Amino acid sequence: ENHQFTVYCSTKAYPDKPSSFESAKLEYIPLNANGAQSVPYDILSLTHALKTRNEVLLVLGVSGALFLPFIRLFTSRKIILHIDGLEWKRAKWNKMARMFLKFSEKIGVWASHKIIADNIYLETYVKETYGKDSALIEYGADHIMAVKRGTDPHPYAFSVCRIEPENNVHMILEAFSQTDQTIKFVGNWNNSEYGKGLRARYINSPNIELLDPIYDQEKLDKIRGNCYLYLHGHSAGGTNPSLVEAMYLGLPILAYNATYNRATTEERAIYFNTAEDLTQKLSALSPMLLRNMAAEMTQIAQRRYTWQIISQKYNKLFHDATDDLPRND
């Protein structure tokens, strides 16, 4: 079913300010959507949204959720909050930021009409912590480009993520430095002291190739789709889009042993806890094991992670949220 969407964007990320994307209308806020500016960014977006005719306010993340009780004073429109993982648990935040995000999450869950959790463990967390039901809606991955696999004379493993401690980049690089297997790792190495330190330490390793961020989807899909193994080190959040994309590409996966990752892969991937553990599991891989795991990842992704499935879940949620709104005949 078709819906009319207004999407809020950062002028910092889109300086050309296109007015629409496909059927969605785009509005712009002159702040960064992430980091410290995410709070006023969300508040300005919500305030502007009150001027639209939309029946549902879909809020992605809890940064500006403290403002939601005030929004409810001025509108009867339904608020749906996508909590987007347990942001307050992320290692990159200091103690005060974590306290703020935890309190903001609490207020947001209380003030919203519907909650979205992107992982079954987040769904359980919301129920046990706040006594509220949530809709389990993950992510699609069938937007990625089909890659014709080649026989690379120099096979390589691959990983891509934000270079942050919670993504266990140090663990993955340390493990590969103890093997003769090659890894290509894409990330924003120059955005933090953590990333700069890792780059300085491993830049000259003969089997470790550290690549700058790749924003060209086709280029990323080609390099990712031709690897023999995908490494996923995320330890926080919920269902991670890069993981479901790797699954849809049919890549064998070695993932950090987090409950979120186990749920996403239905316990069919291989999981590691430490660099030493990862090194041992890398040495135990066999061609048959990799082939079987690749087939299982593909099957799971096609069953759960397509945009048709995800859009149907959102469509149902929008209808459920607006069933009791007054209609103009």
Side-chain angles (χ1 to χ4, degrees):
E1 181 176 337
N2 291 325
H3 296 280
Q4 292 182 332
F5 289 94
T6 301
V7 179
Y8 288 86
C9 314
S10 170
T11 53
K12 309 286 187 179
Y14 303 100
D16 293 339
K17 299 172 63 175
S19 61
S20 64
F21 178 76
E22 296 189 356
S23 61
K25 180 182 178 183
L26 305 183
E27 295 285 354
Y28 291 88
I29 303 298
L31 298 169
N32 289 315
N34 298 309
Q37 291 187 353
S38 63
V39 177
Y41 176 93
D42 284 356
I43 292 173
L44 288 176
S45 299
L46 286 164
T47 302
H48 187 279
L50 293 178
K51 303 174 185 177
T52 70
R53 297 174 60 86
N54 296 337
E55 296 178 328
V56 173
L57 302 179
L58 175 61
V59 182
L60 305 177
V62 302
S63 296
L66 281 176
F67 195 61
L68 293 182
F70 299 99
I71 290 291
R72 290 194 62 167
L73 293 176
F74 298 101
T75 182
S76 62
R77 279 171 277 193
K78 301 300 182 180
I79 298 171
I80 299 176
L81 175 66
H82 190 311
I83 62 173
D84 191 29
L86 303 183
E87 188 69 20
W88 56 274
K89 279 192 172 184
R90 296 188 186 278
K92 64 182 178 181
W93 302 120
N94 60 34
K95 184 177 179 180
M96 288 299 295
R98 291 183 192 180
M99 290 175 62
F100 169 81
L101 289 168
K102 182 68 168 69
F103 183 64
S104 188
E105 174 190 278
K106 180 179 180 180
I107 296 299
V109 171
W110 171 78
S112 299
H113 298 93
K114 299 283 185 181
I115 307 297
I116 297 173
D118 67 9
N119 190 283
I120 190 171
Y121 285 97
L122 288 176
E123 184 181 29
T124 302
Y125 165 81
V126 172
K127 183 67 173 179
E128 292 180 348
T129 305
Y130 302 111
K132 292 190 71 169
D133 293 327
S134 54
L136 176 61
I137 306 179
E138 294 149 323
Y139 305 100
D142 49 331
H143 59 278
I144 58 175
M145 300 175 187
V147 177
K148 183 177 181 180
R149 297 290 179 87
T151 303
D152 197 304
H154 305 290
Y156 58 90
F158 180 80
S159 189
V160 56
C161 68
R162 290 192 298 259
I163 307 305
E164 298 174 350
E166 66 192 34
N167 292 336
N168 290 306
V169 182
H170 56 287
M171 192 182 296
I172 294 172
L173 295 180
E174 182 182 345
F176 272 86
S177 72
Q178 303 301 315
T179 76
D180 58 0
Q181 299 183 48
T182 297
I183 184 170
K184 297 185 179 184
F185 207 126
V186 175
N188 54 341
W189 304 97
N190 293 322
N191 279 31
S192 67
E193 293 305 313
Y194 174 73
K196 291 175 184 176
L198 290 175
R199 186 166 213 162
R201 181 174 180 181
Y202 293 106
I203 191 67
N204 295 318
S205 299
N207 65 321
I208 296 176
E209 186 176 353
L210 305 181
L211 303 173
D212 289 328
I214 298 174
Y215 299 108
D216 183 309
Q217 186 73 47
E218 183 176 0
K219 183 178 180 181
L220 178 63
D221 287 342
K222 283 182 178 178
I223 189 173
R224 174 172 51 176
N226 276 294
C227 71
Y228 73 87
L229 179 69
Y230 186 81
L231 276 296
H232 187 75
H234 294 61
S235 63
T239 296
N240 186 266
S242 64
L243 179 55
V244 300
E245 289 173 358
M247 295 172 68
Y248 197 86
L249 281 170
L251 302 179
I253 291 168
L254 255 172
Y256 182 73
N257 188 21
T259 54
Y260 306 115
N261 298 334
R262 284 183 171 273
T264 302
T265 56
E266 295 185 357
E267 306 280 347
R268 305 288 183 84
I270 297 175
Y271 310 96
F272 63 91
N273 295 291
T274 63
E276 182 181 4
D277 183 29
L278 176 54
T279 302
Q280 293 173 352
K281 285 174 176 170
L282 286 169
S283 66
L285 296 173
S286 69
M288 180 176 290
L289 177 63
L290 293 173
R291 283 196 302 271
N292 290 341
M293 187 172 16
E296 289 180 324
M297 294 301 104
T298 301
Q299 186 272 326
I300 295 168
Q302 291 177 345
R303 172 164 45 84
R304 291 175 57 181
Y305 305 129
T306 69
W307 284 113
Q308 181 179 6
I309 293 170
I310 303 306
S311 62
Q312 287 172 349
K313 291 183 177 181
Y314 271 103
N315 188 54
K316 181 180 184 303
L317 186 63
F318 293 153
H319 276 290
D320 290 347
T322 57
D323 275 346
D324 59 346
L325 284 176
R327 305 292 177 183
N328 294 322
D329 296 329

